[in-house]
C-alpha cells in the first residue's frame, strides 16, 4: 500500500510539474503548436489552389493566411510592444506559396520572441484597444483566437478542394 501511495504521488507530481507555471508559458506552448498546425494546413493546399475562394465574398486561401499574419503583427506591435505596425507582404498577387509559408513562420516566431521576453507583470498592463481597454493577457487570447477562427475556415477550403486536412495539433 505504501508503495502504491508513493507511485501515485510521483505520478501526480510529475503531471503537475509538467504543466506551465504562468499564463505566458501556457500561451507560448499553445502558440508553437498553433504555428505548426497552421503551417501544416498551408503546406497541404497545392500552390495552384492558393488563390481559391469558395465564394466571391470570401478571402482566398492565400489571403486568409496573410490576413492571419497581418493581424498577429498588428496585435504584437501595437498592443504588446507599443511599436509601429510592420507591413510584411504588400504584393499579394505575386507572392508564392513558399514565400507565404516562410513569412508566416517568421511572424509566428516574432510573436513567440516578443511574448517570451515580456515580464509576467506586463500581462496585467492595460492597453487602449479599439473595443475598449484590454489587458495584454487578453491580447494574447485574442492572438490565438484569431488564428483559430481563420484556421477553421482554411480547413473548410481544404475539404472543398478535396484535400485531406492534417491531423489536429493541440496542446
Amino acid at each position: 500500500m505504501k508503495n502504491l501511495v508513493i507511485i501515485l504521488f510521483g505520478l501526480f507530481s510529475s503531471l503537475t510539474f509538467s504543466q506551465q507555471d504562468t499564463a505566458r508559458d501556457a500561451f507560448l506552448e499553445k502558440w508553437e503548436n498553433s504555428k505548426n498546425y497552421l503551417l501544416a494546413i498551408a503546406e497541404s493546399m497545392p500552390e495552384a489552389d492558393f488563390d481559391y475562394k469558395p465564394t466571391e465574398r470570401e478571402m482566398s486561401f492565400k489571403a486568409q493566411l496573410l490576413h492571419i499574419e497581418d493581424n498577429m503583427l498588428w496585435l504584437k506591435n501595437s498592443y504588446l510592444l507599443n511599436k509601429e505596425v510592420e507591413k510584411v507582404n504588400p504584393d499579394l498577387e505575386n507572392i508564392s506559396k513558399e514565400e507565404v509559408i516562410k513569412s508566416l513562420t517568421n511572424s509566428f516566431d516574432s510573436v513567440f520572441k516578443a511574448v517570451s521576453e515580456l515580464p509576467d507583470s506586463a500581462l496585467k498592463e492595460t492597453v487602449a484597444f479599439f473595443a475598449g481597454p484590454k489587458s495584454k493577457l487578453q491580447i494574447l487570447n485574442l492572438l490565438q483566437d484569431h488564428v483559430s477562427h481563420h484556421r477553421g475556415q482554411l480547413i473548410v477550403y481544404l475539404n472543398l478542394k478535396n484535400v485531406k486536412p492534417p491531423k489536429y495539433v493541440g496542446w
Side-chain angles (χ1 to χ4, degrees), residues 111-155:
V111 169
F112 188 95
K113 182 178 186 299
V115 173
S116 67
E117 292 174 354
L118 281 177
D120 291 334
S121 61
L123 296 179
K124 295 177 184 175
E125 294 173 10
T126 299
V127 296
F129 193 66
F130 74 90
K134 302 291 179 226
S135 71
K136 288 186 179 184
L137 179 58
Q138 288 175 297
I139 299 298
L140 294 186
N141 290 329
L142 180 56
L143 273 160
Q144 186 58 54
D145 188 51
H146 186 262
V147 172
S148 297
H149 167 73
H150 288 284
R151 186 174 53 221
Q153 291 175 306
L154 293 170
I155 290 168

Side-chain angles (χ1 to χ4, degrees), residues 2 13 51 57 78 110 146:
K2 184 178 177 181
S13 296
D51 289 318
R57 70 174 189 260
S78 297
S110 77
H146 186 262

Side-chain angles (χ1 to χ4, degrees), residues 59-68 150 153-154 157:
M59 288 184 273
S60 70
F61 188 87
K62 176 173 51 176
Q64 290 270 10
L65 291 169
L66 295 173
H67 171 72
I68 292 169
H150 288 284
Q153 291 175 306
L154 293 170
Y157 285 32

Side-chain angles (χ1 to χ4, degrees), residues 7-8 18 28 50 52-53 60 82 85-86 89 94 98 102 104-106 111-112 124 135 150 155 163 168:
I7 290 170
L8 289 175
S18 69
L28 291 172
F50 251 53
Y52 170 72
K53 43 199 260 184
S60 70
N82 300 318
V85 177
E86 56 197 88
N89 297 301
N94 297 313
E98 181 181 335
K102 182 179 179 185
L104 196 55
T105 300
N106 291 339
V111 169
F112 188 95
K124 295 177 184 175
S135 71
H150 288 284
I155 290 168
V163 175
Y168 175 69

Side-chain angles (χ1 to χ4, degrees), residues 4 37 84 120 128 143-144 162 169:
L4 179 60
Y37 188 33
E84 192 172 313
D120 291 334
L143 273 160
Q144 186 58 54
N162 206 26
V169 177

